Each structure stands twice: as structure tokens, then as C-alpha cells.
């Protein structure tokens, strides 16, 4: 009998202490933030969270950044039915539609994210990202594409290491002049140093879709974004221009070094098109690399264009379900999208602040590495993707159809356009 | 106040059942329930991110049917490739394994070492092996191309060519799974009484006749077992393709993609879990059909 009483007493004690613990925790709201694993972004966000928690001692932010890029969507998809997951999540802008359609994201609240505020303070590509009448996400930083060039290779080829190509013609000339072979120069496999590697898997499909085609006098989509128009004469010309680096001039190929990015970081390709986020990668992996950054070359029509993109933070259905967490999440969202957060971000990640105030900063524009990206923000275009991964795949396949399948570039583009048009039609059909 | 009036022996049995129940519950919940759930999901427009999953009847199956009817579609490529993997992979693997097993059965000196060498790939991680093969297949610097170059033969694109990619992936899978088939064949060969061979020798039968009329028929149980098992494993091919193709997409140009890879990409890249489930059900039907046919055709009794 006494033993039973003793056990009861101990149980009661444990329950009471647990209850007390829970009570003490009640004052602190815990929210979860998820982004995929990208070293510099994780570091920058850790810094921001530390600052945020110091300013808001009653909010604790759990930072989940362990998921590799390739699995990020899987993990989100697996977490949602389980009722767990992030309150604030960072997604690629091209994915937003899919997450909104699934009801995974909730619209940003009018306070503090009113349309007037966003239009007045954020870069145009963010301000133009309304969907179904609402803003669904807001970024800390944005990126644009620019030209990276390896100064040592240019010097080695007898060119001026400080004169990057300013036009597409010069780009082509330099790419050809800097390619080195140890055998037959018409054989991709005899390349020992690449002038330019047209890696569609990297940023080249964006360069084609949003930059080159405009410079050749065409456009990728109709005004309302519902019709694919890159299978035009201008599109064909621009596509052939890209393809010629591999087919005609043999200056490089994805098959060497698994793409242009790795090759550039290792100092084995002269010209490379990439975003400002690569600056941090180069710093981390090959700080000795002697390279420069310039605005993308102008096209035959003399126009400057670049592709803008961004990772952006949204508020989830899960956060909206609980008033305390919702309030904490909004506060956090507001904190990580201030100009100060943008300034911290650019110093660690190399992505440009999304708020105009710090993006058009004189110092930033004068920076030899970040300046060209910053200048590009003024004329950046961003495609409205309905299914980013599928739309990307279409152009990758078109390229392979020509290079591996021997198809005519114009026919390959026609085929790509037909598939992509089907995607767009399917998307818009369910929204009318 | 004893709770149970059980004998010691009965109590032992009760405990045995309790311990067995744990893996059974686990198995039912982790393997059987999700499999049944896939059938249900295939009738819904199931988006994992969404709070609501509308019922759509057989719409997903209709979509599957129309995709298969198209001139070219990723789904169609997936089914075609999967069939190719089975039709090419299973016979080649079993023939090679049988040849190796017959040879291993003959040797005595260092036989254990040889067996270990053939079995080793089977116990190694597929992903690790796939990445090694990916490097071996590399243009220019990969070992295979270096060897070709030394022999003054033309370089081959292997994984980068829509024509060569599937056989290149298949080569790895055949090689890796062969050790398992070899061990099964060896065990089967050991079961054949030596007296049959002695009798054949006395009768003056040729080696081919001995193989054709004694070894092969008596190996039938092993062959049936392997045929079923390897067919199923080739039908479910996924990991090597993901590891050996660019960004795990089953390229180039869908040349290596499989049904399971399609399921994965539809479910987790495009969030069409309902459609992905209908693919799973189709694959299940294929596996079931093939297995039943194989069992009924190949397992007739031998005397």
C-alpha cells in the first residue's frame, strides 16, 4: 500500500513539474524557418536570427537549413501532410505559383506589406510579382546575371586582361581566341581550356530566354505571358548563336568538367555567365582566382538586358493557423526584409539587397565585383514561370536535341514551344 | 494476486507473440498501409502541399493512358525504358552469372577468394558504385575512354549519348547484381547429385549434353527464383539512374528514365501525387502480371 502511494506521489510530482515547465515556456513563441542548404545564406540567416531574437526575446526562431537543394521540395511536400514544417519558408520565385495554388502559402498581410509600401521600396521585379491580386512572398535579396571573365586566361591568350567583351560579337571572338586544344580543334574532347561552355543546366537557359532573344529582336512570351513566342526567327537566330559555341566553334561543352560553373571556379574557362551569388562560392572555393565581372554584353540591337531572379520568403498556412505564431512570423518576415538585413546579406552572400534604398547605394554601384550586378537590376527581366522545373527542362531538352540528336535548331525550338505552350494552356485553363 | 494463471511454457509463447507483434505492426504500418494508400491516392488530385485533396475518379489513369498514346512523352519513355531494362538486363545478367557459377564450381584453388570478389559489388552501396562508374564513363578523363584512346579506338560519349546511356547504366546494374545470382546458382549446383554426372560420363555424354540435359533442368528452381526476383528488381530500377544522370533526371532526353523515377519526379517535383500513384499502381500490375506468367511458365516440374 505504501509503495503504491509512493509511486502515485512521484507521478504527481513529475506531472506537476512538466506542467510548470510548459507554463514557463508559454511566454515564448517558437516559430520555424526553413531554407535549403547554401553555406553563405545559412550563415547570413543565422546572423539575422541572432539579431532578431535579441530584439524580440519572447520569440524563438528554429532555423532548419540542413536540407540540400535537390531535396528541398520533397521535404516540404513530406512535412505538409504530417502537419509539421516551417512557418516562414524561403522559396525560389518561380515556385511560388505552385505553392500558392496548393494553398500552402497565405497572402502577406496588408500591414506592414501594403502594395504602396512594396512598390515604393522594393525593386521592380519584386513589385511586379503580384499573383491573383495578392503578394505572397517578399525577398531579402535579388540577383541579376552578369559576365564573369578570367583575367589570367585572357592575358595568356594575348588579349588585354582588363577588357571584357562589351558586345556579343566580341564575346564570340574572345571565346574562340581563348580556347585551347591538344588535338583536332573540331573535337570537343580535345579541348584543354574552354573559351565558353554553353551550359544550359546553369544560367544559360535564362540568358537565352530573357536576354539574348530580346537582343536579337524577339521575345520569349507574348505580352500577357500566355503564349510562347521564342520559336520565331529571332529566337532561332539567338538559339543558333548559343549552340554554335559547341557545334561550330567548339569552345566548350557541358560534358567537360560537368558544366561551366565548376570549370570557371577551377580557372579552366575564360567566359562565364552567372549570378552574384557565385561571388561567395568563388571566394570560398578558389579565393586566388583572378577574375572580373562586367555587365552582360549588349546585343546586335545595342540593348542591355539581364535576367533577374530571387529567393523569397513566404508565410505558410501552418503559421496562419495560430494567432501567436502568425504574429511572430510576420515580425520575423518584416525583420529579415529591411534594408539593414539586405546590407548584411550582400556582405555575406553577395546577393543584392531587394530594397531599392540599399541596392542603388553609390558604394555598391562602384564595387568592381558587385557593381555590374547592381547596375543590371535596372533593366532585369524575370520570366513568369508557371512550372519552373518543367519550363527549364523544355529548353535543356531542345539544346540536347540539337547537339546530341542532330536536330535543326529551329525545329527543336518549335518542339520546345509546343510542349511549353501545353504547360501554359493547362495552367491558365484551370484559372478561368 | 497473480495477474496471469499461465504455465511457464505458455507464458513463453505469449512473450514470443508480443515480441513478434512489434515487427509485424511496424511492417504493416510502414510497408503495407502506404502501399494500399497509393491505390486510394491514385483516385484523387492529391497535392501533398494542399489542405484539400479532391476526388477525381479515374482521371489520373485517363491521363496515364493519353500520355502513353502520345508520340513522345516522359511517361511513355519511362515505360519503354523500364521494359528495355528488363528485356536486356535479366537475360544477360543470368547468362553471365550462370557462366561464372559453372566456372567457380569447377575450381578449388582460391575458390573462396573468387567467390568473395564476385559477391563484393552486391554488398557495396549502389550510390557509391554509381558515382564511381559515372567517373569511369567520363569523356576524355574517364578510365574507359583513356583505355579506348590507348587502343587507338574512337572515344565514346557513354552516359552523354541518348543511344549509349541506357546500356551504360545497365552494365553497372548487371555487374553489381551478378554476385547475388552467382551465389544462388552455386548453391543450386551443389544440390545436383554427383552420381548423375558420373553416370553421364560412363555413358560418354559430351559436356554440352551433360549441361543441357542434367545441369540446366536440375537448376530450374534456381533459375525460376532468380528470373522472378531479378525481373522485379529491374522493373523497380531507380537509384543507379538517379546517381548516374545529370541532376538525377534520367536523361539525356529521357533516355534512361524509369517508371519509378517518373513516380518520384511527378510526386515530389511536380507535386502530382495522385498521378504518381496511378503510375505506381500500373507498375504494380506489371510486376504482378510478369511474376504470375513467369511462375506458371517456368516452374513446371522436372523429372
Amino acid at each position: 500500500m505504501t509503495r503504491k502511494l509512493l509511486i502515485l506521489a512521484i507521478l504527481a510530482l513529475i506531472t506537476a513539474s512538466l506542467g510548470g515547465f510548459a507554463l514557463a515556456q508559454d511566454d515564448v513563441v517558437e516559430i520555424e524557418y526553413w531554407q535549403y542548404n547554401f553555406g553563405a545564406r545559412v550563415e547570413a540567416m543565422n546572423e539575422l536570427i541572432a539579431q532578431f531574437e535579441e530584439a524580440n526575446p519572447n520569440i524563438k526562431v528554429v532555423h532548419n537549413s540542413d536540407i540540400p537543394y535537390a531535396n528541398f521540395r520533397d521535404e516540404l511536400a513530406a512535412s505538409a501532410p504530417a502537419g509539421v514544417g516551417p512557418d516562414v519558408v524561403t522559396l525560389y520565385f518561380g515556385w511560388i505559383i505552385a505553392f500558392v495554388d496548393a494553398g500552402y502559402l497565405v497572402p502577406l498581410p496588408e500591414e506592414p506589406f501594403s502594395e504602396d509600401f512594396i512598390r515604393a521600396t522594393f525593386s521592380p521585379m519584386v513589385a511586379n510579382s503580384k499573383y491573383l491580386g495578392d503578394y505572397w512572398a517578399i525577398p531579402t535579396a535579388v540577383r541579376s546575371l552578369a559576365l564573369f571573365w578570367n583575367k589570367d586566361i585572357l592575358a595568356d591568350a594575348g588579349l588585354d586582361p582588363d577588357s571584357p567583351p562589351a558586345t556579343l560579337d566580341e564575346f564570340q571572338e574572345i571565346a574562340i581566341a581563348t580556347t585551347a586544344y591538344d588535338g583536332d580543334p573540331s573535337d570537343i574532347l580535345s579541348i584543354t581550356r574552354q573559351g565558353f561552355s554553353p551550359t544550359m543546366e546553369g544560367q544559360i537557359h535564362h540568358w537565352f530566354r530573357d536576354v539574348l532573344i530580346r537582343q536579337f529582336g524577339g521575345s520569349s512570351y507574348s505580352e500577357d505571358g500566355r503564349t510562347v513566342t521564342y520559336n520565331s526567327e529571332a529566337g532561332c537566330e539567338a538559339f543558333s548563336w548559343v549552340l554554335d559555341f559547341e557545334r561550330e566553334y567548339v569552345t566548350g561543352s557541358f560534358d567537360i568538367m560537368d558544366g561551366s560553373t565548376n570549370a570557371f571556379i577551377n580557372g579552366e574557362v575564360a567566359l562565364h555567365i552567372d549570378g552574384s551569388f557565385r561571388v561567395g562560392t568563388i571566394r570560398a572555393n578558389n579565393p586566388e582566382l583572378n577574375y572580373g565581372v562586367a555587365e552582360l554584353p549588349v546585343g546586335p540591337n545595342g540593348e542591355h538586358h539581364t535576367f533577374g531572379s530571387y529567393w523569397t520568403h513566404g508565410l505558410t498556412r501552418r503559421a496562419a493557423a495560430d494567432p501567436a505564431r502568425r504574429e511572430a512570423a510576420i515580425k520575423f518576415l518584416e525583420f529579415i526584409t529591411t534594408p539593414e538585413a539586405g546590407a548584411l546579406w550582400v556582405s555575406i552572400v553577395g546577393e543584392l539587397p531587394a530594397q531599392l534604398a540599399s541596392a542603388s547605394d553609390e558604394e555598391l554601384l562602384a564595387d568592381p565585383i558587385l557593381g555590374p550586378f547592381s547596375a543590371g537590376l535596372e533593366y532585369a527581366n524575370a520570366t513568369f514561370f508557371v512550372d519552373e522545373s518543367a519550363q527549364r527542362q523544355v529548353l535543356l531538352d531542345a539544346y540536347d536535341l540539337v547537339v546530341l540528336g542532330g536536330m535543326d535548331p529551329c525545329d527543336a525550338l518549335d518542339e520546345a514551344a509546343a510542349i511549353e505552350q501545353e504547360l501554359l494552356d493547362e495552367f491558365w485553363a484551370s484559372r478561368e | 494476486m497473480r495477474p496471469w494463471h499461465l504455465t511457464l511454457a505458455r507464458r513463453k509463447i505469449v512473450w514470443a507473440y508480443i515480441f513478434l507483434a512489434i515487427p509485424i505492426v511496424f511492417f504493416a504500418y510502414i510497408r503495407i498501409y502506404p502501399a494500399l494508400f497509393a491505390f486510394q491516392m491514385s483516385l484523387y488530385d492529391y497535392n501533398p502541399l494542399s489542405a484539400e485533396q479532391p476526388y477525381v475518379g479515374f482521371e489520373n489513369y485517363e491521363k496515364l493512358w493519353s500520355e502513353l498514346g502520345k508520340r513522345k512523352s516522359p511517361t511513355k519513355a519511362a515505360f519503354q525504358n523500364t521494359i528495355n531494362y528488363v528485356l536486356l538486363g535479366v537475360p544477360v545478367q543470368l547468362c553471365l552469372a550462370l557462366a561464372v557459377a559453372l566456372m567457380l564450381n569447377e575450381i578449388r584453388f582460391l575458390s573462396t577468394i573468387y567467390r568473395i570478389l564476385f559477391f563484393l559489388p552486391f554488398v557495396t552501396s549502389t550510390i557509391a558504385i554509381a558515382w564511381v562508374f559515372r567517373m569511369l564513363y567520363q569523356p576524355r578523363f574517364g578510365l574507359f575512354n583513356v583505355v579506348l584512346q590507348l587502343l587507338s579506338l574512337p572515344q565514346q560519349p557513354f552516359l552523354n549519348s541518348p543511344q549509349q546511356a541506357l546500356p551504360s547504366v545497365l552494365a553497372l546494374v548487371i555487374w553489381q547484381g551478378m554476385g547475388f545470382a552467382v551465389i544462388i546458382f552455386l548453391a543450386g549446383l551443389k544440390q545436383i547429385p554427383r552420381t548423375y554426372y558420373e553416370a553421364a560420363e560412363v555413358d560418354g555424354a559430351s559436356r554440352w549434353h551433360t549441361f543441357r540435359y542434367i545441369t540446366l533442368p536440375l537448376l530450374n528452381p534456381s533459375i525460376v527464383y532468380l528470373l522472378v526476383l531479378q525481373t522485379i528488381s529491374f522493373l523497380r530500377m531507380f537509384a543507379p539512374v538517379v546517381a548516374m544522370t545529370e541532376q538525377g533526371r534520367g536523361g539525356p532526353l529521357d533516355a534512361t528514365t524509369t517508371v519509378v523515377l517518373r513516380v518520384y519526379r511527378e510526386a515530389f517535383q511536380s507535386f502530382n501525387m495522385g498521378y504518381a500513384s496511378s503510375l505506381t499502381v500500373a507498375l504494380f500490375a506489371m510486376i504482378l502480371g510478369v511474376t504470375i506468367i513467369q511462375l506458371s511458365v517456368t516452374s513446371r516440374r522436372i523429372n
Side-chain angles (χ1 to χ4, degrees):
Chain A
M1 203 59 182
T2 41
R3 206 193 234 178
K4 268 189 182 164
L5 272 178
L6 196 70
I7 291 173
L8 266 178
I10 291 172
L11 278 178
L13 210 70
I14 292 172
T15 323
S17 62
L18 279 177
F21 182 69
L23 271 182
Q25 290 286 298
D26 254 355
D27 307 335
V28 175
V29 182
E30 193 178 279
I31 57 168
E32 222 167 294
Y33 165 75
W34 286 26
Q35 66 170 334
Y36 85 90
N37 190 298
F38 185 99
R41 288 205 195 106
V42 175
E43 191 191 329
M45 192 48 86
N46 278 336
E47 186 81 22
L48 286 174
I49 289 175
Q51 289 179 12
F52 176 73
E53 286 182 337
E54 204 175 285
N56 300 276
N58 60 337
I59 302 177
K60 187 171 164 14
V61 181
V62 178
H63 184 185
N64 179 359
S65 60
D66 300 328
I67 310 165
Y69 172 77
N71 300 15
F72 192 58
R73 287 161 64 100
D74 312 11
E75 296 273 335
L76 287 171
S79 71
V84 296
D87 298 291
V88 175
V89 61
T90 299
L91 303 168
Y92 187 61
F93 83 102
W95 301 350
I96 292 295
I97 307 279
F99 283 80
V100 171
D101 282 346
Y104 187 83
L105 294 178
V106 295
L108 296 181
E110 188 64 22
E111 176 54 39
F113 300 107
S114 70
E115 180 163 4
D116 289 343
F117 167 74
I118 291 177
R119 289 212 175 275
T121 45
F122 281 85
S123 106
M125 61 176 129
V126 179
N128 293 333
S129 68
K130 268 182 110 167
Y131 173 59
L132 303 176
D134 277 305
Y135 287 107
W136 301 86
I138 192 89
T140 306
V142 293
R143 314 91 60 87
S144 62
L145 294 184
L147 166 74
F148 290 64
W149 87 96
N150 184 314
K151 296 186 178 178
D152 291 343
I153 295 182
L154 260 65
D156 198 47
L159 302 166
D160 176 8
D162 291 311
S163 302
T167 65
L168 290 182
D169 287 341
E170 286 176 27
F171 186 93
Q172 201 177 55
E173 279 163 29
I174 293 181
I176 294 168
T178 48
T179 309
Y181 312 86
D182 66 357
D184 178 10
S186 67
D187 181 5
I188 283 286
L189 295 170
S190 65
I191 296 178
T192 53
R193 191 180 65 202
Q194 306 181 79
F196 172 65
S197 163
T199 305
M200 290 298 266
E201 278 83 350
Q203 302 291 328
I204 302 305
H205 74 102
H206 292 306
W207 192 34
F208 167 73
R209 196 192 306 262
D210 279 301
V211 179
L212 291 175
I213 196 159
R214 286 190 166 88
Q215 295 179 327
F216 278 84
S219 69
S220 287
Y221 303 93
S222 61
E223 218 33 59
D224 61 2
R226 297 193 184 192
T227 313
V228 179
T229 56
Y230 53 64
N231 53 335
S232 60
E233 204 179 310
C236 204
E237 237 178 283
F239 196 46
S240 305
W241 188 83
V242 174
L243 280 158
D244 280 348
F245 286 103
E246 181 156 358
R247 292 189 313 165
E248 178 79 26
Y249 308 119
V250 197
T251 66
S253 162
F254 176 82
D255 296 346
I256 310 171
M257 300 281 301
D258 265 359
S260 181
T261 307
N262 289 334
F264 187 79
I265 294 173
N266 287 318
E268 289 170 32
V269 58
L271 303 174
H272 176 67
I273 308 284
D274 217 328
S276 47
F277 43 90
R278 204 63 69 195
V279 172
T281 325
I282 295 172
R283 199 189 301 136
N285 292 294
N286 189 3
E288 306 288 294
L289 190 69
N290 183 17
Y291 74 103
V293 177
E295 288 179 65
L296 289 183
V298 296
N301 62 1
E303 282 177 15
H304 263 301
H305 287 285
T306 188
F307 166 71
S309 67
Y310 49 98
W311 285 81
T312 181
H313 321 296
L315 207 56
T316 67
R317 182 171 75 220
R318 182 171 181 265
D322 177 308
R325 272 221 309 276
R326 178 175 187 272
E327 196 190 328
I330 292 170
K331 253 192 198 164
F332 180 62
L333 209 50
E334 195 181 1
F335 187 86
I336 59 176
T337 52
T338 56
E340 292 75 32
L344 181 140
W345 202 265
V346 69
S347 70
I348 297 178
V349 187
E351 291 178 325
L352 307 160
Q355 296 226 0
L356 294 170
S358 37
S360 55
D361 187 275
E362 287 296 317
E363 215 175 298
L364 199 55
L365 279 170
D367 186 298
I369 295 289
L370 293 174
F373 294 107
S374 197
L377 288 184
E378 271 179 46
Y379 50 81
N381 312 293
T383 292
F384 176 86
F385 288 113
V386 302
D387 182 347
E388 191 258 345
S389 57
Q391 287 175 279
R392 176 170 177 267
Q393 187 68 46
V394 164
L395 278 188
L396 265 54
D397 283 350
Y399 189 91
D400 282 351
L401 278 174
V402 178
V403 171
L404 303 175
M407 200 186 244
D408 177 71
C410 304
D411 294 343
L413 272 189
D414 277 338
E415 190 160 312
I419 300 173
E420 194 170 344
Q421 189 60 52
E422 212 174 300
L423 283 168
L424 292 183
D425 290 345
E426 201 179 315
F427 175 81
W428 288 111
S430 57
R431 274 160 197 78
E432 271 165 348
Chain B
M1 274 252 303
R2 284 195 23 214
W4 304 320
H5 301 282
L6 294 177
T7 63
L8 188 63
R10 284 211 165 172
R11 226 187 288 176
K12 266 189 184 166
I13 293 170
V14 168
W15 277 112
Y17 274 113
I18 291 174
F19 279 119
L20 280 176
I22 295 167
I24 287 171
V25 167
F26 179 81
F27 189 72
Y29 191 66
I30 299 294
R31 298 301 296 261
I32 298 178
Y33 169 67
L36 295 176
F37 190 53
F39 281 87
Q40 193 193 339
M41 270 201 295
S42 71
L43 303 176
Y44 289 78
D45 178 10
Y46 196 101
N47 180 337
L49 294 173
S50 182
E52 288 152 31
Q53 319 296 355
Y55 177 79
V56 293
F58 288 93
E59 235 171 66
N60 288 318
Y61 293 98
E62 281 161 24
K63 181 177 171 191
L64 169 58
W65 190 248
S66 82
E67 288 284 307
L68 289 178
K70 279 186 189 167
R71 188 177 63 85
K72 211 164 98 176
S73 77
T75 305
K76 186 175 177 183
F79 276 95
Q80 278 172 338
N81 292 341
T82 303
I83 291 168
N84 285 340
Y85 280 124
V86 174
L87 292 184
L88 282 169
V90 177
V92 172
Q93 186 179 55
L94 293 195
C95 289
L96 284 176
L98 184 56
V100 170
L102 287 171
M103 287 189 271
L104 284 179
N105 202 34
E106 294 297 313
I107 59 167
R108 293 287 167 269
F109 182 62
L110 290 182
S111 69
T112 317
I113 301 280
Y114 275 105
R115 272 170 219 194
I116 291 174
L117 283 178
F118 276 104
F119 197 62
L120 216 49
F122 184 70
V123 292
T124 314
S125 152
T126 306
I127 300 293
I129 290 188
W131 274 97
V132 171
F133 262 70
R134 201 174 162 168
M135 286 180 218
L136 294 177
Y137 280 133
Q138 277 277 328
R140 190 172 172 87
F141 310 110
L143 182 69
F144 295 151
N145 268 319
V146 169
V147 170
L148 286 176
Q149 204 165 16
L150 286 177
L151 299 173
S152 300
L153 292 168
Q155 303 258 306
Q156 297 302 324
F158 297 117
L159 293 170
N160 295 322
S161 142
Q163 286 78 35
Q164 294 179 11
L166 188 138
S168 301
V169 172
L170 203 53
L172 160 107
V173 182
I174 289 173
W175 171 76
Q176 198 205 355
M178 206 172 75
F180 175 70
V182 167
I183 294 291
I184 300 293
F185 277 137
L186 273 177
L189 289 171
K190 290 268 180 285
Q191 296 291 318
I192 302 175
R194 292 228 58 89
T195 47
Y196 290 175
Y197 290 109
E198 281 155 15
E201 210 171 317
V202 170
D203 288 349
S206 70
R207 284 179 72 90
W208 166 248
H209 277 90
T210 315
F211 173 74
R212 174 68 187 80
Y213 295 105
I214 298 176
T215 313
L216 211 52
L218 289 171
L219 262 185
N220 199 42
S222 309
I223 296 175
V224 172
Y225 172 73
L226 283 172
L227 211 53
V228 172
L229 219 64
Q230 299 306 83
T231 304
I232 293 175
S233 93
F234 275 99
L235 280 172
R236 298 188 321 177
M237 185 125 95
F238 175 71
V241 179
V242 170
M244 290 176 82
T245 57
E246 187 50 33
Q247 297 178 359
R249 282 198 308 258
L253 297 173
D254 291 328
T256 56
T257 189
T258 68
V259 177
V260 183
L261 181 57
R262 225 33 249 160
V263 169
Y264 167 73
R265 290 184 65 81
E266 283 292 343
F268 292 104
Q269 300 293 311
S270 307
F271 303 133
N272 293 326
M273 238 178 227
Y275 180 56
S277 298
S278 71
L279 291 178
T280 317
V281 172
L283 184 64
F284 171 79
M286 268 171 82
I287 292 178
L288 189 69
V290 167
T291 310
I292 290 172
I293 293 170
Q294 279 181 341
L295 282 175
S296 60
V297 170
T298 46
S299 65
R300 59 211 144 89
R301 285 245 60 96
I302 304 291
N303 42 21

